[in-house]
Amino acid sequence: MKAKVLIAALLLVAGCSKNTPADVAASAATNAKDAATASALATALTNKDKNAPPTPCETDFSARDAADIFTGPATLNRSAMNAALGEDENGCGLGGSDAFIDFSIHAKPPMQGDNKQTYQTLTSLHDPKGAPLSGVGDKAMWFDVHDSNVPGMNEFDTIAIKGETLCLADLHFKKGADGDKAITPARGEELAKKLGALCNKSFAARGG
């Protein structure tokens, strides 16, 4: 599981498949010593994503949709840790190396079972406990800052449902000054609404 999470985190620094390998390498490399790693990652992504279905970051969003969450430029990425198993097109990422949003949108049938029950399970078992969030989907909850499953990062989550469609918007940001500077100073319900706006836009893109 740890390996899977680390692979997902690495993929989140690369650009969408519509970019050329050179574009992906340039966006992944933060300095010269990262160029070789970025180039290898770009090649792997190009091969993996050939003929792959579009993700929400390619159909629902633009980088502007995250402009009031990140203090710097945001890249739209193909990979998401929350994407349903075998259904990579359900998820994507927005952000950069110091902070990113792991986003996923699940409509039946890609998510097995009843998404209303899945929403209930996710929100009731979440640690820390959440608070209700109005104006997002049919109902939504937000969950305050806690340890991320990505090493060295914090996490802040919004989970929403509209009809049978489930949305997860998880903001991961580095612990310490770099992570705090990479995202808006807003916290609590104000930050939850910013993440919830992504869910609402994706719901709308699917006719919800």
PDB file of all heavy atoms in Angstrom, residues 72-100:
ATOM      1  N   GLY A  72       0.588  29.834  -5.750  1.00  0.00           N
ATOM      2  CA  GLY A  72       1.397  29.810  -6.965  1.00  0.00           C
ATOM      3  C   GLY A  72       0.643  29.124  -8.088  1.00  0.00           C
ATOM      4  O   GLY A  72      -0.525  28.769  -7.943  1.00  0.00           O
ATOM      5  N   PRO A  73       1.296  28.926  -9.232  1.00  0.00           N
ATOM      6  CA  PRO A  73       0.634  28.263 -10.361  1.00  0.00           C
ATOM      7  C   PRO A  73       0.286  26.818 -10.042  1.00  0.00           C
ATOM      8  O   PRO A  73       0.993  26.139  -9.304  1.00  0.00           O
ATOM      9  CB  PRO A  73       1.681  28.355 -11.483  1.00  0.00           C
ATOM     10  CG  PRO A  73       2.988  28.531 -10.778  1.00  0.00           C
ATOM     11  CD  PRO A  73       2.689  29.314  -9.546  1.00  0.00           C
ATOM     12  N   ALA A  74      -0.831  26.370 -10.588  1.00  0.00           N
ATOM     13  CA  ALA A  74      -1.284  24.986 -10.376  1.00  0.00           C
ATOM     14  C   ALA A  74      -1.219  24.224 -11.688  1.00  0.00           C
ATOM     15  O   ALA A  74      -1.630  24.723 -12.728  1.00  0.00           O
ATOM     16  CB  ALA A  74      -2.701  24.967  -9.830  1.00  0.00           C
ATOM     17  N   THR A  75      -0.701  23.010 -11.635  1.00  0.00           N
ATOM     18  CA  THR A  75      -0.666  22.123 -12.786  1.00  0.00           C
ATOM     19  C   THR A  75      -1.816  21.126 -12.667  1.00  0.00           C
ATOM     20  O   THR A  75      -2.132  20.663 -11.581  1.00  0.00           O
ATOM     21  CB  THR A  75       0.678  21.364 -12.834  1.00  0.00           C
ATOM     22  OG1 THR A  75       1.749  22.297 -12.912  1.00  0.00           O
ATOM     23  CG2 THR A  75       0.731  20.442 -14.041  1.00  0.00           C
ATOM     24  N   LEU A  76      -2.432  20.802 -13.793  1.00  0.00           N
ATOM     25  CA  LEU A  76      -3.481  19.782 -13.821  1.00  0.00           C
ATOM     26  C   LEU A  76      -2.840  18.453 -14.194  1.00  0.00           C
ATOM     27  O   LEU A  76      -2.151  18.349 -15.203  1.00  0.00           O
ATOM     28  CB  LEU A  76      -4.565  20.149 -14.838  1.00  0.00           C
ATOM     29  CG  LEU A  76      -5.641  21.138 -14.380  1.00  0.00           C
ATOM     30  CD1 LEU A  76      -5.049  22.498 -14.058  1.00  0.00           C
ATOM     31  CD2 LEU A  76      -6.710  21.292 -15.455  1.00  0.00           C
ATOM     32  N   ASN A  77      -3.062  17.449 -13.360  1.00  0.00           N
ATOM     33  CA  ASN A  77      -2.378  16.169 -13.500  1.00  0.00           C
ATOM     34  C   ASN A  77      -3.355  15.010 -13.679  1.00  0.00           C
ATOM     35  O   ASN A  77      -4.501  15.084 -13.263  1.00  0.00           O
ATOM     36  CB  ASN A  77      -1.527  15.895 -12.249  1.00  0.00           C
ATOM     37  CG  ASN A  77      -0.616  17.047 -11.924  1.00  0.00           C
ATOM     38  OD1 ASN A  77       0.172  17.456 -12.756  1.00  0.00           O
ATOM     39  ND2 ASN A  77      -0.740  17.601 -10.718  1.00  0.00           N
ATOM     40  N   ARG A  78      -2.870  13.938 -14.271  1.00  0.00           N
ATOM     41  CA  ARG A  78      -3.733  12.789 -14.558  1.00  0.00           C
ATOM     42  C   ARG A  78      -3.994  11.901 -13.352  1.00  0.00           C
ATOM     43  O   ARG A  78      -5.040  11.271 -13.257  1.00  0.00           O
ATOM     44  CB  ARG A  78      -3.111  11.916 -15.656  1.00  0.00           C
ATOM     45  CG  ARG A  78      -3.264  12.467 -17.061  1.00  0.00           C
ATOM     46  CD  ARG A  78      -3.067  11.361 -18.090  1.00  0.00           C
ATOM     47  NE  ARG A  78      -4.069  10.333 -17.989  1.00  0.00           N
ATOM     48  CZ  ARG A  78      -5.256  10.370 -18.604  1.00  0.00           C
ATOM     49  NH1 ARG A  78      -5.566  11.408 -19.343  1.00  0.00           N
ATOM     50  NH2 ARG A  78      -6.108   9.385 -18.464  1.00  0.00           N
ATOM     51  N   SER A  79      -3.069  11.793 -12.435  1.00  0.00           N
ATOM     52  CA  SER A  79      -3.155  10.758 -11.415  1.00  0.00           C
ATOM     53  C   SER A  79      -3.925  11.209 -10.184  1.00  0.00           C
ATOM     54  O   SER A  79      -3.923  12.378  -9.815  1.00  0.00           O
ATOM     55  CB  SER A  79      -1.749  10.330 -11.001  1.00  0.00           C
ATOM     56  OG  SER A  79      -1.804   9.302 -10.045  1.00  0.00           O
ATOM     57  N   ALA A  80      -4.600  10.260  -9.511  1.00  0.00           N
ATOM     58  CA  ALA A  80      -5.273  10.527  -8.245  1.00  0.00           C
ATOM     59  C   ALA A  80      -5.229   9.289  -7.376  1.00  0.00           C
ATOM     60  O   ALA A  80      -5.460   8.181  -7.842  1.00  0.00           O
ATOM     61  CB  ALA A  80      -6.721  10.948  -8.468  1.00  0.00           C
ATOM     62  N   MET A  81      -4.933   9.476  -6.098  1.00  0.00           N
ATOM     63  CA  MET A  81      -4.899   8.350  -5.175  1.00  0.00           C
ATOM     64  C   MET A  81      -6.308   7.839  -4.891  1.00  0.00           C
ATOM     65  O   MET A  81      -6.500   6.673  -4.558  1.00  0.00           O
ATOM     66  CB  MET A  81      -4.211   8.762  -3.872  1.00  0.00           C
ATOM     67  CG  MET A  81      -2.719   9.002  -4.047  1.00  0.00           C
ATOM     68  SD  MET A  81      -1.899   9.528  -2.527  1.00  0.00           S
ATOM     69  CE  MET A  81      -2.463  11.238  -2.429  1.00  0.00           C
ATOM     70  N   ASN A  82      -7.320   8.719  -4.999  1.00  0.00           N
ATOM     71  CA  ASN A  82      -8.693   8.329  -4.692  1.00  0.00           C
ATOM     72  C   ASN A  82      -9.452   7.762  -5.886  1.00  0.00           C
ATOM     73  O   ASN A  82     -10.624   7.433  -5.759  1.00  0.00           O
ATOM     74  CB  ASN A  82      -9.478   9.538  -4.151  1.00  0.00           C
ATOM     75  CG  ASN A  82      -9.194   9.777  -2.686  1.00  0.00           C
ATOM     76  OD1 ASN A  82      -8.887   8.854  -1.948  1.00  0.00           O
ATOM     77  ND2 ASN A  82      -9.280  11.022  -2.264  1.00  0.00           N
ATOM     78  N   ALA A  83      -8.820   7.691  -7.045  1.00  0.00           N
ATOM     79  CA  ALA A  83      -9.518   7.137  -8.211  1.00  0.00           C
ATOM     80  C   ALA A  83      -9.929   5.694  -7.936  1.00  0.00           C
ATOM     81  O   ALA A  83      -9.209   4.939  -7.298  1.00  0.00           O
ATOM     82  CB  ALA A  83      -8.619   7.200  -9.440  1.00  0.00           C
ATOM     83  N   ALA A  84     -11.117   5.345  -8.407  1.00  0.00           N
ATOM     84  CA  ALA A  84     -11.594   3.976  -8.193  1.00  0.00           C
ATOM     85  C   ALA A  84     -10.645   2.990  -8.856  1.00  0.00           C
ATOM     86  O   ALA A  84     -10.098   3.251  -9.922  1.00  0.00           O
ATOM     87  CB  ALA A  84     -13.001   3.826  -8.762  1.00  0.00           C
ATOM     88  N   LEU A  85     -10.446   1.850  -8.224  1.00  0.00           N
ATOM     89  CA  LEU A  85      -9.534   0.839  -8.740  1.00  0.00           C
ATOM     90  C   LEU A  85      -9.920   0.466 -10.162  1.00  0.00           C
ATOM     91  O   LEU A  85     -11.051   0.078 -10.439  1.00  0.00           O
ATOM     92  CB  LEU A  85      -9.580  -0.403  -7.838  1.00  0.00           C
ATOM     93  CG  LEU A  85      -8.587  -1.510  -8.168  1.00  0.00           C
ATOM     94  CD1 LEU A  85      -7.159  -1.024  -7.994  1.00  0.00           C
ATOM     95  CD2 LEU A  85      -8.848  -2.717  -7.274  1.00  0.00           C
ATOM     96  N   GLY A  86      -8.967   0.589 -11.068  1.00  0.00           N
ATOM     97  CA  GLY A  86      -9.220   0.249 -12.457  1.00  0.00           C
ATOM     98  C   GLY A  86      -9.978   1.304 -13.232  1.00  0.00           C
ATOM     99  O   GLY A  86     -10.325   1.099 -14.391  1.00  0.00           O
ATOM    100  N   GLU A  87     -10.250   2.459 -12.589  1.00  0.00           N
ATOM    101  CA  GLU A  87     -11.016   3.528 -13.229  1.00  0.00           C
ATOM    102  C   GLU A  87     -10.270   4.843 -13.043  1.00  0.00           C
ATOM    103  O   GLU A  87     -10.768   5.780 -12.424  1.00  0.00           O
ATOM    104  CB  GLU A  87     -12.427   3.618 -12.628  1.00  0.00           C
ATOM    105  CG  GLU A  87     -13.260   2.377 -12.797  1.00  0.00           C
ATOM    106  CD  GLU A  87     -13.814   2.222 -14.205  1.00  0.00           C
ATOM    107  OE1 GLU A  87     -13.692   3.172 -15.000  1.00  0.00           O
ATOM    108  OE2 GLU A  87     -14.357   1.148 -14.510  1.00  0.00           O
ATOM    109  N   ASP A  88      -9.057   4.926 -13.575  1.00  0.00           N
ATOM    110  CA  ASP A  88      -8.204   6.094 -13.363  1.00  0.00           C
ATOM    111  C   ASP A  88      -8.852   7.394 -13.826  1.00  0.00           C
ATOM    112  O   ASP A  88      -8.545   8.465 -13.324  1.00  0.00           O
ATOM    113  CB  ASP A  88      -6.864   5.919 -14.090  1.00  0.00           C
ATOM    114  CG  ASP A  88      -6.007   4.832 -13.444  1.00  0.00           C
ATOM    115  OD1 ASP A  88      -6.275   4.499 -12.279  1.00  0.00           O
ATOM    116  OD2 ASP A  88      -5.088   4.350 -14.111  1.00  0.00           O
ATOM    117  N   GLU A  89      -9.757   7.293 -14.825  1.00  0.00           N
ATOM    118  CA  GLU A  89     -10.366   8.505 -15.361  1.00  0.00           C
ATOM    119  C   GLU A  89     -11.307   9.175 -14.367  1.00  0.00           C
ATOM    120  O   GLU A  89     -11.774  10.286 -14.603  1.00  0.00           O
ATOM    121  CB  GLU A  89     -11.119   8.193 -16.654  1.00  0.00           C
ATOM    122  CG  GLU A  89     -12.333   7.307 -16.502  1.00  0.00           C
ATOM    123  CD  GLU A  89     -12.016   5.826 -16.588  1.00  0.00           C
ATOM    124  OE1 GLU A  89     -10.849   5.449 -16.394  1.00  0.00           O
ATOM    125  OE2 GLU A  89     -12.955   5.043 -16.844  1.00  0.00           O
ATOM    126  N   ASN A  90     -11.593   8.522 -13.235  1.00  0.00           N
ATOM    127  CA  ASN A  90     -12.455   9.124 -12.218  1.00  0.00           C
ATOM    128  C   ASN A  90     -11.719  10.146 -11.367  1.00  0.00           C
ATOM    129  O   ASN A  90     -12.354  10.865 -10.593  1.00  0.00           O
ATOM    130  CB  ASN A  90     -13.030   8.048 -11.294  1.00  0.00           C
ATOM    131  CG  ASN A  90     -14.039   7.179 -12.002  1.00  0.00           C
ATOM    132  OD1 ASN A  90     -14.662   7.595 -12.959  1.00  0.00           O
ATOM    133  ND2 ASN A  90     -14.181   5.949 -11.551  1.00  0.00           N
ATOM    134  N   GLY A  91     -10.401  10.181 -11.442  1.00  0.00           N
ATOM    135  CA  GLY A  91      -9.649  11.056 -10.553  1.00  0.00           C
ATOM    136  C   GLY A  91      -8.546  11.806 -11.262  1.00  0.00           C
ATOM    137  O   GLY A  91      -8.151  11.467 -12.379  1.00  0.00           O
ATOM    138  N   CYS A  92      -8.065  12.850 -10.602  1.00  0.00           N
ATOM    139  CA  CYS A  92      -6.961  13.636 -11.149  1.00  0.00           C
ATOM    140  C   CYS A  92      -6.391  14.491 -10.025  1.00  0.00           C
ATOM    141  O   CYS A  92      -6.848  14.416  -8.882  1.00  0.00           O
ATOM    142  CB  CYS A  92      -7.442  14.523 -12.301  1.00  0.00           C
ATOM    143  SG  CYS A  92      -8.692  15.732 -11.836  1.00  0.00           S
ATOM    144  N   GLY A  93      -5.396  15.280 -10.347  1.00  0.00           N
ATOM    145  CA  GLY A  93      -4.766  16.130  -9.347  1.00  0.00           C
ATOM    146  C   GLY A  93      -4.547  17.538  -9.855  1.00  0.00           C
ATOM    147  O   GLY A  93      -4.372  17.758 -11.050  1.00  0.00           O
ATOM    148  N   LEU A  94      -4.600  18.499  -8.937  1.00  0.00           N
ATOM    149  CA  LEU A  94      -4.316  19.889  -9.255  1.00  0.00           C
ATOM    150  C   LEU A  94      -3.308  20.394  -8.233  1.00  0.00           C
ATOM    151  O   LEU A  94      -3.455  20.136  -7.034  1.00  0.00           O
ATOM    152  CB  LEU A  94      -5.578  20.757  -9.172  1.00  0.00           C
ATOM    153  CG  LEU A  94      -6.788  20.421 -10.017  1.00  0.00           C
ATOM    154  CD1 LEU A  94      -7.711  19.447  -9.295  1.00  0.00           C
ATOM    155  CD2 LEU A  94      -7.584  21.686 -10.334  1.00  0.00           C
ATOM    156  N   GLY A  95      -2.287  21.106  -8.686  1.00  0.00           N
ATOM    157  CA  GLY A  95      -1.358  21.697  -7.744  1.00  0.00           C
ATOM    158  C   GLY A  95       0.085  21.543  -8.152  1.00  0.00           C
ATOM    159  O   GLY A  95       0.413  21.564  -9.336  1.00  0.00           O
ATOM    160  N   GLY A  96       0.945  21.379  -7.157  1.00  0.00           N
ATOM    161  CA  GLY A  96       2.378  21.293  -7.400  1.00  0.00           C
ATOM    162  C   GLY A  96       3.042  20.409  -6.370  1.00  0.00           C
ATOM    163  O   GLY A  96       2.390  19.564  -5.744  1.00  0.00           O
ATOM    164  N   SER A  97       4.341  20.601  -6.148  1.00  0.00           N
ATOM    165  CA  SER A  97       5.090  19.718  -5.263  1.00  0.00           C
ATOM    166  C   SER A  97       4.866  20.030  -3.786  1.00  0.00           C
ATOM    167  O   SER A  97       4.944  19.136  -2.941  1.00  0.00           O
ATOM    168  CB  SER A  97       6.590  19.803  -5.584  1.00  0.00           C
ATOM    169  OG  SER A  97       7.052  21.133  -5.440  1.00  0.00           O
ATOM    170  N   ASP A  98       4.567  21.292  -3.441  1.00  0.00           N
ATOM    171  CA  ASP A  98       4.372  21.662  -2.042  1.00  0.00           C
ATOM    172  C   ASP A  98       2.929  21.493  -1.585  1.00  0.00           C
ATOM    173  O   ASP A  98       2.653  21.399  -0.388  1.00  0.00           O
ATOM    174  CB  ASP A  98       4.811  23.109  -1.796  1.00  0.00           C
ATOM    175  CG  ASP A  98       6.313  23.280  -1.892  1.00  0.00           C
ATOM    176  OD1 ASP A  98       7.042  22.291  -1.682  1.00  0.00           O
ATOM    177  OD2 ASP A  98       6.774  24.403  -2.180  1.00  0.00           O
ATOM    178  N   ALA A  99       1.999  21.471  -2.532  1.00  0.00           N
ATOM    179  CA  ALA A  99       0.580  21.309  -2.199  1.00  0.00           C
ATOM    180  C   ALA A  99      -0.161  20.842  -3.437  1.00  0.00           C
ATOM    181  O   ALA A  99       0.113  21.306  -4.545  1.00  0.00           O
ATOM    182  CB  ALA A  99      -0.006  22.630  -1.696  1.00  0.00           C
ATOM    183  N   PHE A 100      -1.100  19.922  -3.254  1.00  0.00           N
ATOM    184  CA  PHE A 100      -1.908  19.467  -4.387  1.00  0.00           C
ATOM    185  C   PHE A 100      -3.263  18.984  -3.893  1.00  0.00           C
ATOM    186  O   PHE A 100      -3.426  18.607  -2.727  1.00  0.00           O
ATOM    187  CB  PHE A 100      -1.200  18.355  -5.172  1.00  0.00           C
ATOM    188  CG  PHE A 100      -0.972  17.078  -4.399  1.00  0.00           C
ATOM    189  CD1 PHE A 100      -1.943  16.081  -4.355  1.00  0.00           C
ATOM    190  CD2 PHE A 100       0.214  16.865  -3.721  1.00  0.00           C
ATOM    191  CE1 PHE A 100      -1.739  14.909  -3.651  1.00  0.00           C
ATOM    192  CE2 PHE A 100       0.434  15.699  -2.999  1.00  0.00           C
ATOM    193  CZ  PHE A 100      -0.552  14.709  -2.964  1.00  0.00           C
TER     194      PHE A 100
END
